[in-house]
Amino acid sequence: MGSPKASVATLPLILDIEDFKGDFSFDALFGGLVNELLPSFQEDDADAADGAGGQDMFPNGTLRGPQGAATPMFPAVEELLALFKDSCKELVDLREQIDGRLQNLKKEVEIQDSKHRKTLAELEKGVDGLHQSFQRLDTRISSVGQTAAKIGDHLQNADSQRRTASQTIELIKYLMEFNSSPGDLMELSSLFLDDSHVAEAASIAQKLQDVGTHGINMPSPVGAANASRGLEVAVANLQDYCNELENRLLSRFDAASQRRELSTMAECAKILSQFNRGTSAMQHYVALRPMFIDVEVMNTDISLVLGDQGLQAGANNIARGLSTLYKEITETVRKEAATIMAVFPSPTDVMSILVQRVLEQRVSAILDRLLKKPSLVNLPPVNQGGLLLYLRIFAVAYEKTKDLARELQSVGCGDLDAEGLTESQFLSHKDAYPEYEQASLNQLYQSKMEELRAEAQQQSESMGTISRSKASISPSASQQISVTIVTEFVRWNEEAITRCTLFSSQPATLASNVRSVFACLLEQVSQYLTGGLERARESLNEAAALRDRFVIGASVSRRVAAAAASAAEAAAAAGESSFRSFMIAVQRCGSSVAILQQYFSNVISRLLPPDAHAASLEEMGTAVSSVEGAAQKGLQQCIDTVMAEVERLLSSEQKTTDYRSPDDGNAPDHRPTNACMRVVAYLSRVLESAFGALEGLNKQSFLTDLGNRLHKGLLSHWQKFTFSPSGGLRLKRDITEYGEFVRSFNAPSIDENFELLGIMANVFIVAPESLASLFEGTPSIRKDASRFIQLRDDFKTAKLTAMLNSFMSDS
């Protein structure tokens, strides 16, 4: 066997250029090279592994045998190495072959590229020449095209002139037919007499009218006067023919309308649109709608809205009737709109005429029945609704009709301003509205006052003659101030403000109307509250008159004195009742003013601009001030009433011995005197209503004035007595009782006055020699204290005159 190299050298060519073309795979190439050698090795591999059970393997891939001989592990290694070397050599050869081929190709490409460049240069020269030729051709074509366009325009103008001339000749021919004797239309061609050509006849007649009118109006030489007169005959005959043709078309249109033949109606409408833009056809169609010519429809409208009761049906029933009627009108217009859209060339113009006719005829008829403006001189009776009924119906009619206008506008009415037209129908009523609103509020107020007076008269008559004197002192329930009635005033005003908002579209108008309406409320509330307070004051005056009537002198019989005392008790009871009645009136005034102020804040102030708001606020302050003035006068009378009873109780109940205990050896009485207890009990009872009725500064002012009057009255009362030391103690106890009561007034100045009274009462208790030091800390009361000192029962015996003079000189 030869060497591996010799065996490999004898192998055929392994590699070929074709092996590297297409989808080349190194794994496939390698497998093709070695697969012939590896299978024998792979078959022997298992046997060699089994036979080498106890043999050692050398690092170079050989095995040591039992005798120590080395056996190769890969017998084909040498063959593979030789194969790989030959393969590498062949790869080098192949690369050299390919490089040679590439060089040859490169040379051929350079030769071809040179030829191509030369060809491109020649082509560019040819293209440049071609471009120049095309530019010359384009210029020539443009010139020829412009010439052709001019020729075409001339030809088109010539053709147009030819057609115009031809039409003019035809029109002149037709015009000559009408230029016969006046009123003679029998000589016309069949075109104008045949109904099958009515559309063409209408078009030609309209053109003839334009030509004739233009010919008459056109200035002409003097010699052409006869021609003008001839044209006048033609124009007159044309007008007669057009009128006759229009009437004929309208008759056909009406007949088709009755049969609901929309196509025929549309054809007639289209032809009629050539006469006055179809206005006569549109108006004719609208005028013949059943809702405009059927009297029964009008009667049904009135019956639906007013019913059997007429205007006395009330605003709510009328509102429901109007809603039903206006809904029916809207549906009718909507149905008509569908027909109009299918028939007329200009449906929006027809809808404008239709909606205008609906508003001006059908709606206006019902509004005339609803809105009968009453006289402000002879007002309608309140029991028949008064002015308020007219205003409520006016508001309902206005609101519902405005809604109808908006609905009709949405259905479609062309250029017609349906809302503006509706607004104009109410213009006269809106202009007079503020005056009527104020008159209505005044009428309601006067009616309410008459009702209250009638109730008072009825109650007075039902009470009989026995209790009339008592009834005259205490006002009846119908004469007393009622918050419910004031609330009713506010409710009237709020309803009026709602109408102001509805009728006043401009802010300035709204502010003016709101101010005038609110001013009515201010006047009503002021008059009512002031009148109620005046009536309550009258009962105070009557009670005072009763007190004055039963004042008697000292030298009367015991029987007369007893009768006078009984009458004085009755007068005192009347005074107390009138006091409570007035306090109730004041309390209700306060509640009423609070309602008024809340109404202004919640409703009125939101509708007024700043300047009007300030003015109305000032007017409300003036009205409230007048009420407060009447209340202040009454409160002063209440104080007079209370003090009169206090003085009566002190005069009748205060005994001379209350402050000068008899020398009977009994222990002094440290309880308040009976007069004091009666006065305090009376004040506690009568002022209970004042505490509940008055609030804030009014309460403080009233109680302060009363406290000062009480202090002054007690001082004057005690000046009538002389005091022993034990009597001084009892006086001090009375002062303490009075002081504890007036603390409920929460008036610090009054509390201080009664504290000083307690200090002054000490002049009756201390020894004469201690009087000088008694008022060292309170020099302000020395003057009053000096008068108290003179009331000591020992003033003369203790010779206190000199000490009093010294005391006064020091002050």
Side-chain angles (χ1 to χ4, degrees), residues 515-527:
R515 279 194 61 188
S516 63
V517 168
F518 183 63
C520 290
L521 177 63
L522 293 178
E523 184 178 1
Q524 291 172 358
V525 172
S526 176
Q527 288 183 3

Side-chain angles (χ1 to χ4, degrees), residues 63 135 167 181 242-243 254 288 343 401 421 482 495 655 693 695 699 728 733 744 782:
L63 299 175
Q135 288 178 354
Q167 292 175 359
S181 60
C242 289
N243 292 338
D254 291 341
L288 292 180
V343 170
T401 308
L421 180 58
S482 171
E495 180 182 342
K655 303 295 188 293
E695 294 180 354
K699 182 177 181 180
R733 182 66 185 86
S744 62
R782 287 189 176 187

